[in-house]
């Protein structure tokens, strides 16, 4: 059981290797201080922050983000340390909120390495404060405990550090804020010369993992990211140093050589795994160096394509990180050279100073051009690979405009993953990487119908945004119905006010729903009651090892509940049932898809924060809300909308409905 702490409450820690997960309504700076038995921080070297993210037994994020994961190994903490305080602060000088009262209450959870929560704390009551000590891990009689603190500081990070008896707290706070504002926290050293290759990486967004692919949960504003533990974290091995990761694409010392693009992917294995499975078929014939669909490991073409998409995502993440790092290096180098020129009064006047400035600017332009040339080379390779991979994707991985949907047939087996949209970065436009998540869904979906930082200026009217959000939910539901075998997936809809009738028409008219959309408070109560009872029955059967004892006629299919226009029609009991389904449903095949504006449910306060955090937040329009705390990217998500005027959705759902009728006979 998770201990939900209140301010001042403590709880024992059952293990030494932990993660501290932070979720806030806006980007925050996460850090930590180490203090002795008297509560004193010995110096800045006892503070972990984005500019210096690692200490013995402790690692924090390298940039401001809405979600963080702090790694802690209490066995590796020095003996002199008796307290680890976790700090949160709003970054200054970046145009964001200046007080915690203007954002959602921050949530902090202490978890084990397997993700199981030990204790959690929602920091309420903050207003003018811009920095807060969230919680502390402290040593007591040889054992470690966690205590909820929630002490805020209106004076910001400087006041917080000063309160911890840190000498020169103001200078350190200024340095932290400057690092975040200038992007130094995500920079690495000047890029080294080297070839582009695929190496293991741990980004926090991208295709959801499984099989032989690495883990890749998503960092969103609706829920904490769950990236895999890097090999150099405090969980094992030495803390990471500020050096470029092996295999990172980078700007060469000289301009790239001309010639054909190399598609051999030297870091990626393209042979099949060893027996007993049959070997992978040979690559398709083609010109030397031509990209090939399925150029990855896997037992089947579906798995190889899945892993290939993952590899493309990793390549794009690393190439962009190297480019941004090179630009940061060029900026800092030019700034340093200009400072040296200006520091000499004799060079401020006359041609000597002008010549030095021009030389610094020319070198800066040369470095940036070299970095851009390398990025363009990598983007050209990825674009050519994408042009080959996209047409070869199966229906579950394909866009709605892919011809594979015109030859659609109801599948006999459930695919390993599903496409939820596309991902791209500003530097990579128009290249798009499919966003794949594993099936069955491990968490619910939240289609955000509220106003947000959309990149599409066409949707300012709240009514249009609500309509588009429900259409997006219908497209997701249709894709889920289409990729499951007949009878293996059931969809329920709650539309209390009946305002979504037009957008829901494809699901209603084709007859793929389990029942007509539930309307009114009575309909909400009935549907939630049935699904809650289902979760209880399956959990009892599983725990008792008697799954065959389920009632006769029990629907064993995966269940999806689409909730529109929340919280209209929901009383307190219904809200609690919804939270229960979000938390307990996925493990027994009951999934939630919320189409809602969080602001409309703000009257519930922190009560609903766990609900929003448990869901994967998606948007009906393009928005760069998927955070990548490890590489430092904000990925732009684009929903998988049906092309205007296309009848593909209606045709697919008609086939699904026909297959369901045949299956029920």
């Amino acid at each position: 059981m998770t201990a939900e702490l209140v301010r001042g409450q403590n709880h024992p820690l059952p293990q030494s290797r932990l993660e501290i997960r932070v979720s806030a309504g806006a980007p925050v700076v996460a850090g930590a201080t180490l203090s002795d038995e008297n509560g004193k921080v010995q110096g800045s070297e006892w503070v972990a922050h984005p500019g210096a993210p690692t200490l013995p037994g402790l690692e924090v994020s390298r940039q401001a983000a809405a979600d963080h994961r702090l790694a802690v190994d209490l066995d590796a903490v020095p003996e002199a340390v008796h307290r680890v305080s976790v700090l949160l602060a709003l970054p200054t000088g970046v145009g964001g909120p200046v007080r915690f009262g203007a954002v959602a209450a921050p949530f902090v959870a202490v978890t084990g390495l397997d993700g199981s929560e030990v204790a959690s704390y929602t920091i309420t009551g903050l207003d003018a404060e811009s920095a807060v000590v969230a919680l502390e891990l402290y040593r007591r009689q040889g054992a470690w405990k966690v205590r909820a603190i929630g002490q805020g500081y209106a004076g910001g990070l400087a006041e917080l550090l000063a309160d911890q008896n840190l000498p020169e707290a103001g200078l350190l706070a200024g340095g932290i804020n400057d690092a975040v504002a200038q992007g130094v926290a995500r920079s690495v050293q000047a890029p080294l010369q080297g070839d582009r290759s695929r190496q293991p990486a741990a980004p926090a967004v991208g295709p959801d993992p499984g099989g032989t692919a690495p883990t890749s949960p998503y960092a969103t504003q609706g829920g904490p990211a769950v990236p895999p533990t890097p090999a150099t974290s405090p969980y094992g091995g030495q803390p990471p140093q500020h050096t470029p990761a092996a295999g990172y694409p980078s700007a060469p010392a000289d301009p790239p050589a001309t010639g054909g693009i190399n598609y051999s992917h030297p870091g990626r294995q393209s042979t099949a795994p060893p027996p007993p499975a049959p070997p992978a078929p040979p690559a398709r014939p083609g010109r030397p160096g031509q990209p090939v669909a399925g150029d990855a490991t896997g037992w089947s073409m579906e798995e190889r394509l899945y892993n290939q998409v993952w590899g493309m995502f990793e390549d794009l993440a690393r190439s962009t990180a190297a480019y941004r790092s090179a630009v940061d290096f060029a900026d800092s180098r030019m700034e340093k050279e200009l400072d040296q020129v200006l520091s000499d009064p004799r060079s401020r006047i006359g041609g000597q100073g002008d010549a030095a400035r021009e030389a610094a600017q020319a070198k800066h332009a040369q470095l940036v051009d070299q970095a851009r040339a390398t990025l363009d080379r990598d983007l050209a390779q990825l674009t050519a690979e994408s042009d080959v991979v996209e047409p070869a994707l199966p229906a579950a991985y394909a866009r709605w405009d892919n011809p594979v949907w015109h030859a659609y047939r109801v599948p006999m087996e459930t695919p390993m993953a599903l496409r939820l949209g596309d991902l791209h970065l500003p530097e990579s436009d128009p290249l798009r990487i499919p966003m794949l998540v594993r099936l069955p869904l491990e968490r619910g979906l939240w289609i955000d119908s509220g106003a947000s930082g959309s990149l599409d200026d066409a949707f300012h009217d709240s009514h249009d945004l609500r309509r588009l959000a429900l259409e997006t939910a219908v497209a997701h539901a249709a894709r889920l119905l289409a990729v499951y075998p007949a009878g293996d997936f059931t969809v329920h809809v709650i539309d209390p006010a009946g305002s979504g009738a037009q957008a829901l028409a494809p699901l209603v008219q084709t007859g793929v729903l389990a029942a007509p959309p539930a309307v009114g408070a009575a309909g909400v109560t009935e549907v939630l009651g049935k699904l809650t009872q289902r979760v209880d029955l399956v959990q009892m059967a599983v725990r008792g090892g008697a799954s065959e004892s389920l009632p006769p006629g029990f629907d064993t299919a995966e269940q999806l509940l689409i909730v529109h226009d929340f919280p209209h029609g929901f009383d307190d009991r219904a809200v609690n049932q919804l939270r229960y389904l979000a938390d307990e449903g996925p493990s027994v095949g009951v999934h939630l898809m919320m189409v809602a504006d969080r602001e409309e449910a703000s009257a519930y306060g922190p009560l609903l924060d766990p609900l929003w955090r448990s869901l994967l937040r998606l948007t009906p329009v393009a928005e760069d809300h998927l955070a990548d705390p490890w590489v430092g990217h904000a990925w732009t998500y684009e929903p998988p909308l049906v092309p205007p005027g296309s009848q593909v959705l209606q045709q697919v759902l008609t086939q699904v409905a026909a297959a369901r009728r045949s299956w029920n006979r």
Side-chain angles (χ1 to χ4, degrees):
M1 293 293 292
T2 302
E4 297 186 1
L5 305 179
V6 297
R7 182 173 298 176
Q9 186 178 359
N10 61 49
H11 186 75
L13 295 175
Q15 58 201 79
S16 59
R17 293 186 176 183
L18 303 163
E19 289 180 342
I20 300 176
R21 303 182 182 182
V22 178
S23 179
V28 297
V29 179
T33 60
L34 307 180
S35 52
D36 58 21
E37 57 185 345
N38 298 319
K40 183 178 180 180
V41 181
Q42 297 297 325
S44 59
E45 66 277 6
W46 278 31
V47 182
H49 56 82
T54 59
L55 292 176
L58 180 64
E59 181 181 0
V60 303
S61 301
R62 290 163 171 78
Q63 68 170 46
D67 298 289
H68 291 274
R69 288 166 62 100
L70 283 65
V72 181
D73 184 355
L74 296 174
D75 289 340
V77 171
E79 287 294 330
V81 174
H82 285 254
R83 184 178 304 166
V84 180
S85 300
V86 177
L87 323 175
L88 304 178
L90 294 170
T92 62
V94 295
V98 296
R99 62 187 186 89
F100 276 112
V103 300
F107 172 83
V108 186
V110 180
T111 74
L113 298 185
D114 59 354
S116 58
E117 288 191 4
V118 177
S120 64
Y121 174 40
T122 301
I123 310 173
T124 58
L126 299 178
D127 187 11
E129 296 87 348
S130 58
V132 61
V133 178
L135 50 79
E136 65 180 15
L137 313 179
Y138 64 99
R139 201 194 305 256
R140 179 65 56 85
Q141 296 179 349
W144 286 89
K145 294 184 177 183
V146 57
R147 177 185 289 120
I149 302 298
Q151 176 62 53
Y153 296 85
L157 198 55
E159 183 181 355
L160 184 155
L161 295 174
D163 192 47
Q164 298 216 357
N165 301 315
L166 185 68
E168 300 180 346
L171 290 176
L172 178 58
I176 295 173
N177 289 323
D178 288 345
V180 173
Q182 297 174 10
V184 176
R186 64 169 170 82
S187 299
V188 295
Q189 292 180 359
L192 304 176
Q193 182 173 356
D195 294 331
R196 172 181 180 269
S197 63
R198 295 198 170 176
Q199 300 293 338
V205 296
D208 192 69
T212 59
T215 304
S216 168
Y218 296 96
T220 71
Q221 294 178 2
V226 193
T229 305
T232 52
S233 75
Y235 298 156
Q238 297 300 319
Q241 306 298 319
H242 295 285
T243 56
Y248 260 57
S250 55
D254 298 315
T258 58
I261 299 173
N262 176 19
Y263 293 103
S264 60
H265 306 305
R268 181 207 297 166
Q269 297 179 353
S270 58
T271 58
R284 297 186 307 177
R287 299 188 308 272
Q290 182 179 3
V292 177
D295 182 20
T297 57
W299 302 119
S300 64
M301 176 58 78
E302 178 190 11
E303 186 176 359
R304 291 197 296 274
L305 286 170
Y306 176 90
N307 292 334
Q308 185 173 15
V309 169
W310 173 260
M312 293 166 60
F313 170 81
E314 288 182 330
D315 280 354
L316 180 56
R318 279 195 295 266
S319 294
T320 307
Y323 169 72
R324 294 179 179 180
S325 174
V327 172
D328 283 345
F329 172 75
D331 291 342
S332 62
R333 174 172 178 163
M334 182 178 67
E335 183 178 352
K336 180 179 179 181
E337 291 176 351
L338 292 178
D339 286 344
Q340 290 176 348
V341 172
L342 296 177
S343 64
D344 186 355
R346 296 172 296 178
S347 62
R348 297 180 185 177
I349 304 175
Q352 182 180 358
D354 294 339
R357 279 190 290 270
E358 291 176 1
Q361 292 168 354
K363 185 62 176 178
H364 174 272
Q366 179 186 4
L367 292 174
V368 172
D369 289 344
Q370 287 179 351
R372 185 69 217 191
T374 301
L375 177 63
D376 289 342
R377 180 197 65 194
D378 291 345
L379 291 180
Q381 178 172 335
L382 283 169
T383 300
E385 186 174 8
S386 177
D387 291 342
V388 171
V389 170
E390 277 287 352
L393 294 177
Y397 299 177
R399 296 191 185 101
W400 284 112
D401 59 359
N402 192 309
V404 70
W405 287 107
H406 296 289
Y408 168 77
R409 294 292 182 271
V410 177
M412 299 299 294
E413 296 181 354
T414 303
M416 65 182 297
L418 180 79
R419 187 174 189 155
L420 288 183
D422 292 331
L423 298 171
H424 71 94
L425 294 168
E427 295 88 348
S428 66
D429 197 63
L431 177 63
R432 301 292 188 269
I433 304 296
M435 175 180 170
L436 304 180
V437 298
R438 289 300 304 268
L439 291 178
L441 297 173
E442 296 180 355
R443 58 192 299 197
L445 305 177
W446 166 29
I447 315 300
D448 191 353
S449 61
S452 60
S454 167
L455 302 180
D456 190 344
D457 296 332
F459 294 92
H460 292 296
D461 184 79
S462 60
H463 177 75
D464 290 341
L465 200 58
R466 290 170 184 268
R467 172 186 54 79
L468 188 62
L470 187 54
E471 290 176 355
T472 303
V474 169
H476 285 308
R479 184 178 289 263
L480 283 163
L481 284 165
V483 303
Y484 273 86
D488 282 7
F489 200 82
T490 303
V491 178
H492 311 264
V493 176
I494 290 178
D495 184 21
S499 58
Q502 181 178 357
L504 292 169
L507 298 178
V508 176
Q509 294 173 0
T510 54
V512 295
L513 295 179
V519 297
V524 172
T525 301
E526 180 182 2
V527 173
L528 290 178
K530 289 181 179 179
L531 291 178
T532 302
Q533 184 182 37
R534 174 192 172 86
V535 172
D536 291 339
L537 286 173
V538 176
Q539 283 186 337
M540 286 188 293
V542 171
R543 291 168 183 169
S547 56
E548 69 282 355
S549 64
L550 291 170
F554 185 85
D555 184 7
T556 58
E558 298 278 319
Q559 309 286 313
L560 175 69
L561 173 61
I562 303 176
V563 178
H564 178 236
D565 209 16
F566 177 81
H568 181 81
F570 282 74
D571 55 18
D572 290 345
R573 175 180 171 81
V575 170
N576 287 330
Q577 288 177 318
L578 200 64
R579 284 189 55 184
Y580 178 73
L581 291 178
D583 292 339
E584 305 294 335
S587 63
V588 293
V590 178
H591 311 285
L592 191 61
M593 184 185 294
M594 298 281 292
V595 185
D597 180 0
R598 185 172 182 172
E599 291 299 320
E600 293 186 354
S602 59
Y604 287 95
L607 175 66
L608 288 182
D609 285 350
L611 172 64
W612 304 119
R613 284 194 301 270
S614 68
L615 304 175
L616 172 60
R617 177 178 177 262
L618 303 175
T619 53
V621 292
E623 182 182 323
D624 56 347
H625 70 282
L626 291 175
D628 184 347
W630 297 106
V631 184
H633 301 331
W635 290 83
T636 297
Y637 166 80
E638 292 183 355
L641 298 177
V642 179
S646 174
Q647 297 299 314
V648 64
L649 189 69
Q650 195 79 14
Q651 295 169 3
V652 169
L653 289 177
T654 299
Q655 290 196 44
V656 171
R660 288 168 61 89
R661 287 192 295 269
S662 299
W663 180 80
N664 286 327
R665 289 175 183 173

